Amino acid sequence: SFHSLNHDMTLPEFKFIWYMEYSHRMWGRAVGLAYILPAAYFWRRGWLSRPLKGRVLALCALVCFQGLLGWYMVKSGLEEKPDSYDIPRVSQYRLAAHLGSALLLYSASLWTGLSLLLPQHKLPETKQLLRLRQYAHGTTALIFLTALSGAFVAGLDAGLVYNSFPKMGERWIPDDLLAFSPVLRNIFENPTTVQFDHRILGISSVTAVTALYLFSRKIPLPRRTRMAVTSLLAVACVQ
């Protein structure tokens, strides 16, 4: 691929890419040690309760799985494709899996840490609170799906197809949205469709977060919960 596509790349440009990848790997290994070494120490000292031992084992296993997924993803970008002169890139499916696993690991770690540091609020189980909790879970799932769709955008360089917003070129819905056959393949492999879906999911996520915030204002909630919902809206707007 160097002779076909990147013959004008200089050594400093190659070093920049190499060090980015090397730093990412070293940082990932440091994160793994930051999980496993303290976990082994706390376990040996008897500081972990039985339920917490299960969580710690699951988190450490997820760290190892994340590293394995990273190797599996990079491997897809090194496979020889003699019939293709396209830019070498990793599989968008494996990239999405790697990102999704990282988000799960981060969320589970944050949830575990906060559950140990902060006391749980004892709130009356009203119908409004139940609806708020269900809506918050649905919003979380939507945000997670939006992030995964971003991995498909990155994996296919779909962000380069259209650079105008809110329209894509001169149209609201591009002509080549369903160019691939079968139709389902467009969602994961057609750069135009992938970018379109990511836009729709992004707008939907911001709308859902805004609605969650407005609904939460109608319910008497603890100060900490209100701060969390307000911060979520602020981060969604910045994003």
Side-chain angles (χ1 to χ4, degrees), residues 167 207 220:
K167 288 186 176 181
T207 304

Side-chain angles (χ1 to χ4, degrees), residues 127-191:
K127 186 177 292 186
Q128 277 188 318
L129 186 64
L130 182 62
R131 283 181 59 196
L132 180 68
R133 187 180 290 123
Q134 291 173 339
Y135 192 72
H137 289 163
T139 303
T140 301
L142 180 60
I143 292 170
F144 182 73
L145 186 62
T146 303
L148 289 190
S149 74
F152 280 89
V153 172
L156 291 170
D157 284 338
L160 304 177
V161 181
Y162 292 97
N163 62 358
S164 56
F165 186 86
K167 288 186 176 181
M168 299 178 73
E170 298 298 322
R171 301 176 64 89
W172 289 100
I173 300 177
D175 292 331
D176 54 341
L177 195 67
L178 300 176
F180 290 11
S181 182
V183 174
L184 190 62
R185 188 176 154 219
N186 288 278
I187 298 174
F188 305 105
E189 299 182 13
N190 184 340

Side-chain angles (χ1 to χ4, degrees), residues 1-174:
S1 68
F2 175 78
H3 294 291
S4 303
L5 297 168
N6 301 315
H7 54 272
D8 58 342
M9 179 181 285
T10 63
L11 184 59
E13 288 174 337
F14 173 78
K15 283 183 176 181
F16 176 75
I17 296 172
W18 190 91
Y19 277 117
M20 281 184 64
E21 173 66 18
Y22 180 76
S23 301
H24 181 68
R25 293 186 184 202
M26 292 301 105
W27 187 257
R29 289 165 185 169
V31 169
L33 292 175
Y35 270 87
I36 294 169
L37 293 181
Y41 177 75
F42 295 152
W43 193 299
R44 187 171 181 82
R45 298 282 294 188
W47 293 350
L48 302 179
S49 64
R50 188 176 181 86
L52 194 55
K53 284 181 178 180
R55 284 196 191 188
V56 167
L57 280 177
L59 287 171
C60 289
L62 193 53
V63 167
C64 296
F65 179 68
Q66 174 68 5
L68 184 64
L69 263 181
W71 166 81
Y72 186 59
M73 179 193 72
V74 171
K75 185 174 179 289
S76 68
L78 301 175
E79 294 172 354
E80 290 288 342
K81 300 174 183 176
D83 300 329
S84 175
Y85 293 98
D86 193 11
I87 297 171
R89 55 166 60 92
V90 298
S91 164
Q92 67 271 28
Y93 297 100
R94 300 184 193 184
L95 178 60
H98 190 50
L99 175 64
S101 175
L103 290 173
L104 288 175
L105 175 61
Y106 179 79
S107 301
S109 301
L110 185 64
W111 185 275
T112 301
L114 291 178
S115 65
L116 293 172
L117 292 171
L118 301 175
Q120 186 176 2
H121 287 302
K122 300 295 182 182
L123 300 176
E125 290 292 327
T126 62
K127 186 177 292 186
Q128 277 188 318
L129 186 64
L130 182 62
R131 283 181 59 196
L132 180 68
R133 187 180 290 123
Q134 291 173 339
Y135 192 72
H137 289 163
T139 303
T140 301
L142 180 60
I143 292 170
F144 182 73
L145 186 62
T146 303
L148 289 190
S149 74
F152 280 89
V153 172
L156 291 170
D157 284 338
L160 304 177
V161 181
Y162 292 97
N163 62 358
S164 56
F165 186 86
K167 288 186 176 181
M168 299 178 73
E170 298 298 322
R171 301 176 64 89
W172 289 100
I173 300 177

